[in-house]
Amino acid sequence: MKLYDDKYIKNIVLLGSVKSGKTTLAETMVFEAGLSNRRGTIEDKNTISDFHEIEHERGNSVYATLLHTDWRDYKINIIDTPGLDDFVGEVVSALRVADTAVMLVNAQYGVEVGTELTWSYLERYATPAIFAVNQVDHPKSDYFKAVASIQESFGPGAIVMQYPLSEGENFDCIIDLLKMTMYKFPPEGGKPEKQEIPAGEKERAAELHNQLVEKAAENDEELMELYFEKGSLDEDEMRKGLKIGMLNREVYPIFCLSAKRNMGSGRMMGFIDNVAPSATEMPPEKTVDGNELPCDPAGPPVIFVFRTLVEQFLGKITFFKVCSGVVSEGTDLVNNATGETERLNQLFIMAGKNRQPVTKLVAGDLGTTLKMKGTKTNHTLHSKDFPVALKPIEFPEPRIRTAVVTTDKKDDEKLGEALREIQAEDPTIRAELSPELKQLILWGQGELHLNLVRWRLEKSYGIKVDFVEPRIPYRETIRKGATAMYRHKKQSGGAGQFAEVHLRVEPYEEGMPDPSDFTVRGKDEIALPWGGKLVFYNCIVGGVIDAKYLPSILKGVMEKMQEGPMTGSYVRDVRVMVFDGKMHAVDSNDISFKIAGSQAFKEAFRNANPQILEPLYDMEILVPEELMGDVMSDLQSRRSMIQGMESQGRYQLIRAVTPLAEQHRYSTTLKSLTQGRASFRCHFREYAPVPHEIQQKLTASA
């Protein structure tokens, strides 16, 4: 296998909405470079990138796929990502290791919701970007309208590099503004013929060329002086300025192409070779402790794991980026997270599902290895004498949930093991056995995401499961003070059981003073695992209850708080004052006071105007402006409180606070209302009282 100098390795990630043509472009790039002797198609299910069975069934990408190509002695590592927001974890992990993002925009539609959402992650990683307006051969293509939508959404840094001479079915010529040349393609695509720009286009081409020159010049003082001196820049000077602008994220070149007809991909690959930054030209990696790690082939070997995949017959495949130094077969590295030494017995570069063995990989390159024991996504591996931990990928929090039950109870243990494997592959999946809800809860990014898990459980693990509506983790509290006593007395021959407890409960608020109407002799302030607090006061006077029994009373209160008197939900934000009671010299013991404390708390709680609380979530919905009314109406039917709206290009961002109880299947409803043109995010906000009528229903059903 050919070994590449670090400056000749380029890592790109293909981004864009579903059906923008990412997989087709990846296929064309590999074919154009001669690494494949035929161009596969999604329709024929024979592409290098989308090779999983579920991707063949769906007809679009579900997983991020790593492949590579060689273009004029440059190695281009390509990560083809899914376009659906449900699989955003695949996009985020790819962005973490890419040095340039190629954002595909469909020439028919321009910037779509998926483009806007992906851009927010791209900004987080400050990744240089190129726009590729694809499918200009479509009858409804409108290239300059698509360009206008890009510039409207992402600013004037988006600058035209090329434009089609004609669009639609007659598309076969691209006017290149960097080289000021027209490329005319044969009917079957491939290598174009260079021609002069037609006379009728020279004025427009010159105007756009001057805009490109100005954009290149404004990123460097030396270039700006040259521009003022000469009135223009030559091609190499423009390349230099464009690279500086891309690194500063102030320039986003716009290309046009038809990936399906293999027209324009070669010119864009040439630009990636000559202008797009390599890993060694990018800012240094950030470490967890705030230091920097330059991408230097002469540095100590350090790799970062950005993806883990479990193949049924092969085992675990670990995807990594060489962030420093050189790694070879047999290299021993220490896992910073586990402290264990891992050996890289084999090294591969990927071409979809196919692995090509290599003997070593240099800083900046992407590769894989097999059967690493304790190494997972986000782990850093380093040489023994150079301990370092690189900043991990920040995966988005799950947005929707469902409860999972096996159709055959014998599969319960097997299900747990399968979900652990799936979570290791996809950190945006979360599975938890909730003792509170007594359900196995599966969290994901959307309905499709959860259905993919179900598909994998059935196809890969042979486990049939059903998704059922999950219960809501309500909380209980009180709105006023109340006093109660309970006497526990039991006699059954021999020593009996006796305890009497008098206590008062009151609502607790952070920072409130201790009770003034009791003599406080002791105080326990307990932060509850499920949120909120319990403050427990010893207000016993005269030794009517021995101090040794107070922990038993507290234990009884805590047990009752784990199964609230109203609905069986957790209790929070209560303070308890134990102020009186009785004990017996022979019959009193810990169990007696635990029971008495539990029952006294239960009685007082019921008399303290109890309140059921429900979890509220902050929601952000990005929706086309013309569909905003339908989305708003649906939110209001879900008891949502609209917090505000703001314009984002051609879209509206709606902010709302919505109860978790009203969010079941929201992902499906939103897709239906907007034909899949909207997306949402949510995260936990707080617990708040449920309306009176809902509390009555919950209490009655409990």
Side-chain angles (χ1 to χ4, degrees), residues 141 271 327 426 446 504 538 554 556 634 638 640:
S141 167
F271 184 86
V327 293
D426 185 352
R504 179 172 178 79
N538 172 9
L554 173 58
D634 178 69
R638 295 173 183 269
S640 296

Side-chain angles (χ1 to χ4, degrees), residues 108-410:
Q108 304 169 64
Y109 309 120
V111 172
E112 300 175 74
V113 167
T115 320
E116 299 265 8
L117 292 168
T118 304
W119 189 263
S120 65
Y121 292 108
L122 189 146
E123 286 188 314
R124 179 188 299 176
Y125 289 106
T127 309
I130 292 169
F131 285 97
V133 179
N134 190 25
Q135 302 179 33
V136 290
D137 58 324
H138 192 279
K140 295 184 179 178
S141 167
D142 191 332
Y143 176 77
F144 281 104
K145 184 177 180 182
V147 167
S149 73
I150 293 170
Q151 292 172 335
E152 180 184 358
S153 298
F154 308 117
I159 188 76
V160 174
M161 291 285 298
Q162 306 172 327
Y163 68 91
L165 180 64
S166 59
E167 299 183 64
E169 296 174 354
N170 296 323
F171 168 70
D172 63 355
C173 293
I174 290 174
I175 294 175
D176 191 286
L177 302 170
L178 178 63
K179 293 182 173 291
M180 286 303 283
T181 298
M182 187 174 79
Y183 293 96
K184 183 174 177 62
F185 295 88
E188 67 278 6
K191 187 175 180 179
E193 176 189 344
K194 293 182 181 179
Q195 297 183 357
E196 277 195 28
I197 297 173
E201 288 294 323
K202 284 189 175 181
E203 184 178 345
R204 177 159 69 164
E207 181 183 346
L208 293 172
H209 173 77
N210 288 336
Q211 292 175 15
L212 186 61
V213 170
E214 290 176 10
K215 184 60 68 174
E218 69 185 30
N219 295 290
D220 184 82
E221 288 185 12
E222 183 181 332
L223 290 174
M224 184 63 79
E225 289 177 7
L226 277 173
Y227 175 62
F228 286 139
E229 181 184 323
K230 300 190 304 181
S232 187
L233 297 175
D234 63 32
E235 191 176 323
D236 287 338
E237 291 164 346
M238 290 175 67
R239 283 200 187 100
K240 179 184 175 182
L242 291 171
K243 174 173 281 193
I244 294 170
M246 286 182 66
L247 281 166
N248 294 336
R249 298 196 76 251
E250 293 174 350
V251 173
Y252 310 112
I254 305 175
F255 290 81
C256 69
L257 52 88
S258 166
K260 189 171 184 179
R261 291 172 60 186
N262 190 13
M263 295 180 180
S265 59
R267 178 69 190 98
M268 190 176 73
M269 289 162 71
F271 184 86
I272 290 168
D273 285 353
N274 296 322
V275 180
S278 64
T280 53
E281 295 170 314
M282 290 287 285
E285 289 272 359
K286 300 290 185 182
T287 66
V288 170
D289 54 11
N291 294 320
E292 294 183 341
L293 177 72
C295 184
D296 182 3
V302 178
I303 68 174
F304 177 78
V305 177
F306 67 93
R307 187 164 184 243
T308 304
L309 187 64
V310 179
E311 291 285 357
Q312 188 171 4
F313 301 110
L314 190 62
K316 186 162 74 171
I317 306 175
T318 301
F319 293 72
F320 61 86
K321 182 175 186 177
V322 184
C323 297
S324 173
V326 178
V327 293
S328 306
E329 286 183 336
T331 298
D332 288 331
L333 297 174
V334 178
N335 185 321
N336 186 273
T338 66
E340 299 294 322
T341 298
E342 297 268 24
R343 172 160 290 185
L344 305 178
N345 287 312
Q346 298 171 290
L347 295 175
F348 303 95
I349 57 174
M350 301 300 292
K353 66 180 177 181
N354 298 318
R355 303 179 309 281
Q356 297 177 13
V358 294
T359 56
K360 67 178 182 179
L361 293 167
V362 69
D365 212 345
L366 307 181
T368 64
T369 189
L370 302 177
K371 300 178 181 177
M372 298 187 87
K373 296 176 184 176
T375 297
K376 300 177 181 177
T377 299
N378 264 340
H379 286 182
T380 302
L381 280 74
H382 54 78
S383 58
K384 292 179 181 179
D385 56 352
F386 188 77
V388 65
L390 298 176
K391 286 193 74 171
I393 303 164
E394 295 180 16
F395 288 100
E397 287 293 311
R399 296 177 296 185
I400 69 167
R401 64 189 194 125
T402 188
V404 185
V405 294
T406 56
T407 56
D408 187 340
K409 292 298 178 186
K410 291 186 294 186

Side-chain angles (χ1 to χ4, degrees), residues 40 57 85 99 139-140 155 166 177 187 231 267 315 339 375 450 470 501 521 553 572 613 630 632 667 700:
E57 284 187 16
D85 194 37
D99 304 310
K140 295 184 179 178
S166 59
L177 302 170
R267 178 69 190 98
T375 297
L450 296 180
V501 172
R521 298 185 178 276
I553 297 173
R572 59 177 286 167
L613 308 174
D630 292 339
M632 293 274 285
S667 174

Side-chain angles (χ1 to χ4, degrees), residues 6 538 619:
D6 57 280
N538 172 9
M619 298 184 71

